């Protein structure tokens, strides 16, 4: 795996130097071909979000037109737009599918319920239907904006009819529904294989309440919208640093990490200061699941704050970030 990781690193560095003006100039005078291990990365300068944002046109290696675009919904700091190849997104989706498969969930073959921040319910809709079906991926998408005490029974009714094999999306939304289920001692007509939270930090309270309500394990993973390497939880409850998806280094004297990603060829991220911190396990014990990589004990940096709407629905931090990132003074429009 170390060899695979090193080879992937060299492919990425060569690609960046050949195709990105920003990296070619940044690495001027450094002989990349003399690198012999992942540790040689330390010879390269650190790249910050501000550097990428200000030089985005020189950083990117593909035309913006037709690129797969993602805005960091980031829960901290200013927003950043990254442009990637379709195959980069496909690889990231494949990693997520692999992670879910390890827990027994097969994407496209099984049914998933998703709680997300997309606006799927028109503001003037009167009917208590807060979900839409995405047939292509057997996915029922639930609005995270309408989860109030009054509406929750409709959500539960829909879930009971749909009988999802997994639930994914905002843990804060699942938590509100789970609290209602536990409080009213409701017996569900289905039992998902696993629950896969995204975008927000999962607290131990979230985990306990959601697992009790749905009778399934919460399986967490970390990745960012910029395209950081993955850290995911295996069937033994350990967080694995997935070395096949990139390199995570720790900055000297702190837990803050620098990431190098193998799935961001359109906007290369190399020794990128993403703003998150991780505590790695000190023990060299191998996990029983058989995926022999370093283990992560905790990931810090993603806070969980929220507002309540006048109707009592939770507006998550991710929702707020999604609104603000399109504002003219968010820093985003200066680049486009
Ligand atoms: Zn494991």
């Amino acid at each position: 795996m170390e060899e695979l990781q090193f080879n992937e690193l060299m492919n990425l560095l060569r690609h960046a130097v050949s195709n990105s003006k920003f990296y070619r100039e940044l690495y001027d005078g450094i002989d990349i071909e003399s690198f012999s291990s992942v540790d040689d990365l330390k010879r390269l300068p650190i790249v910050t979000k501000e550097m990428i944002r200000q030089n985005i046109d020189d950083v990117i290696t593909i035309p913006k037109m037709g690129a797969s675009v993602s805005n960091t919904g980031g829960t901290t700091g200013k927003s950043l737009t990254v442009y990637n190849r379709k195959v980069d997104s496909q690889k990231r989706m494949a990693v997520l599918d692999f992670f879910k498969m390890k827990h027994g969930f097969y994407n496209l073959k099984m049914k998933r319920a998703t709680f997300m921040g997309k606006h799927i319910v028109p503001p003037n809709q009167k009917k208590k239907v807060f979900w839409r079906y995405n047939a292509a991926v057997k996915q029922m998408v639930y609005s995270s904006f309408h989860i109030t005490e009054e509406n929750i029974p409709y959500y539960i009714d829909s879930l009971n009819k749909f009988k999802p094999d997994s639930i994914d999306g905002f843990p804060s939304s699942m938590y509100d529904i789970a609290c209602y289920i536990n409080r009213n001692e409701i017996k569900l007509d289905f039992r998902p294989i696993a629950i896969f939270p995204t975008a927000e930090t999962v607290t131990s309270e979230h985990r306990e309440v959601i697992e009790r309500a749905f009778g399934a394990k919460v399986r967490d993973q970390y990745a960012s919208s910029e395209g950081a390497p993955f850290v995911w939880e295996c069937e033994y409850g350990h967080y694995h640093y997935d070395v096949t998806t990139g390199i995570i280094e720790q900055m000297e004297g702190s837990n803050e990490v620098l990431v190098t990603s193998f799935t961001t060829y359109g906007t290369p991220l190399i020794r990128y200061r993403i703003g998150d911190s991780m505590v790695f396990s000190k023990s060299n014990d191998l996990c029983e699941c058989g995926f022999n990589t370093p283990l992560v004990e905790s990931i810090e940096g993603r806070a969980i704050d929220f507002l309540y709407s006048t109707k009592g629905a939770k507006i998550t931090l991710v929702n707020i970030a999604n609104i603000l990132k399109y504002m003219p003074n968010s820093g985003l429009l200066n680049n486009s």
Side-chain angles (χ1 to χ4, degrees), residues 102 232 234-238 240 287-291 295:
K102 271 182 82 77
W232 45 253
C234 74
E235 60 271 38
Y236 288 87
H238 293 139
H240 287 262
C287 180
E288 290 167 84
C289 79
F291 198 69
L295 301 177

Side-chain angles (χ1 to χ4, degrees), residues 92 95-96 198-200 220-232 245 274 276 278 299 302:
R92 299 185 68 74
V95 173
L96 282 176
T198 54
E200 297 173 324
D220 196 16
Q221 49 83 25
Y222 160 91
S224 71
S225 32
E226 287 106 308
F230 286 84
V231 174
W232 45 253
T245 62
I274 196 161
D276 292 330
M278 288 181 198
I299 301 169
R302 292 179 296 169

